[in-house]
Amino acid sequence: MPRGRRGGRVSALEGGPEEEAPPAAAAVPSALWASGLQPEAAAGQTLLRGIFEIGRSSCDVVLSELALRWWPIQPERPAGFSSRPKSLKVILNPQSHKKEATQVYYEKVEPLLRIAGIKTDVTITEYEGHALALLKDCELQEFDGVICVGGDGSASEVAHALLLRAQKNAGKETDSLLTPVRAQLPLGLIPAGSTNVLAHSLHGIPHVVTATLHIIMGHIQPVDVCTFSTTGKLLRFGFSAMFGFGGRALALAEKNRWMSPNQRRDFAVMKALAKLKPEDCEISFLPCIGSHDLQEWKAEGSPKSDSSDQWQTIQGQFLNVSIMAIPCLCSVAPRGLAPTTRLNNGSMALIVVRNTSRPEFIKHLKRYASVKNQFNFPFVETYTVGEVRVRLRNKSGCDPEEDDRRQAAASEHSFPWNIDGDLVEAESEVLVKLHPRLISLYGGSMEEMNDSKVTCNCL
């Protein structure tokens, strides 16, 4: 315990002016200066109280009319966070967005991890699929979690790799997955992409420091994951997907990688709108139970359908089909692309947009950026489901040239799907199945957003 002395000086912690004990303090026995009394019990009226540095220690200093007392401040160690990581594997995509990921990590993330005493092993990816190849075979026993620094495509690739690794370790065939096992390590998402849908949905805001602090504190959030498969073959694990307009827009954007991210996105959307055409589909789905019954199946690891277990089918021409297991919040859709779903409520949102005029479809798209209900259109239908099967069909009597084009596309696997911001080309039929709480992400639980009050509608 530091002891005072006559004429002693105390330097402020942040370089403030030095304070000298008043002469009255000299007459006070030294035993009272560092007594165990609480500040409230100090004799006389308190003149000044603050935190100052004494002997390289932070102290609570109280100056009263009769005495100067101080008590060393003992830093409190966070309790109750058993999942706090001690060692992390970091996957960094230097090409994300405006190639900012490296700067974001080393300037904002790494210093916080270092202060928290967390060891890191950083791998900078060099090509597409590098993270997948790395995580399939590298030793992960020494790590408590995996961190991805990048955009949605990078985060989805790392999540897919961790889940594939878990199936491999469990001896399961990935092409015949009915009940996949959970990922063994939690995944942290540092937003460094253009949209950051996953991080935004997880934290409520795409903020780098917020995401880092969740990782440091070991906040774990279980999240639902979908499997996308075709003809008995697993395409990938993912959180959300779009087919139709959303898939074609992404395919156009991928062909113009030389543009800046914002220019590429705007160009792709405008060109996809200019060539807006519906897809003739048959969509079958298994309705999911209400969220109030979810406790019954959480332990089983798979969602329950209605008691009849009857598939329902809709068919026709659709401009866009969205299947989402998370809300998919982003800057252009602050309420989310699927605002009624949650990270782990055991269901997916199926949103289908039937064929309509281009102006009406644009009105629907604009609603995502506002507080109005984007689904309040006669051509938009929403369902809560546990499984979805999307099958392209050739409508009888259609243009032979168009029919040939569709068949050629199917043979070349050129039907574009937008799965978590990654372009995936699939055959004419794709099965999407939800698997509750299949992966754990570093993040806090999101509050219900339906009742939140919106006070600004700048967009």
Side-chain angles (χ1 to χ4, degrees), residues 119-247:
K119 298 179 181 179
T120 57
D121 180 68
V122 181
T123 297
I124 299 178
T125 58
E126 300 175 356
Y127 54 88
E128 184 177 355
H130 187 184
L132 177 62
L134 174 72
L135 292 175
K136 272 186 176 181
D137 300 316
C138 74
E139 295 294 331
L140 297 176
Q141 290 84 354
E142 60 183 288
F143 301 109
D144 301 314
V146 177
I147 305 303
C148 175
V149 186
D152 290 320
S154 302
S156 179
E157 179 183 342
V158 173
H160 175 63
L162 288 175
L163 287 165
L164 282 182
R165 174 70 175 263
Q167 312 318 307
K168 177 182 176 182
N169 292 344
K172 293 205 169 192
E173 292 290 338
T174 57
D175 288 339
S176 58
L177 282 177
L178 296 178
T179 55
V181 299
R182 287 174 50 86
Q184 297 166 341
L185 293 178
L187 171 62
L189 307 177
I190 302 298
S194 55
T195 55
N196 302 306
V197 167
L198 289 174
H200 201 149
S201 300
L202 181 64
H203 307 301
I205 183 173
H207 191 251
V208 171
V209 175
T210 297
T212 306
L213 292 178
H214 278 302
I215 295 169
I216 291 173
M217 300 307 292
H219 295 159
I220 299 295
Q221 181 75 3
V223 178
D224 299 341
V225 180
C226 305
T227 50
F228 298 85
S229 56
T230 179
T231 61
K233 179 181 179 182
L234 177 69
L235 291 175
R236 68 179 300 156
F237 293 93
F239 302 94
S240 65
M242 287 187 287
F243 174 74
F245 173 79

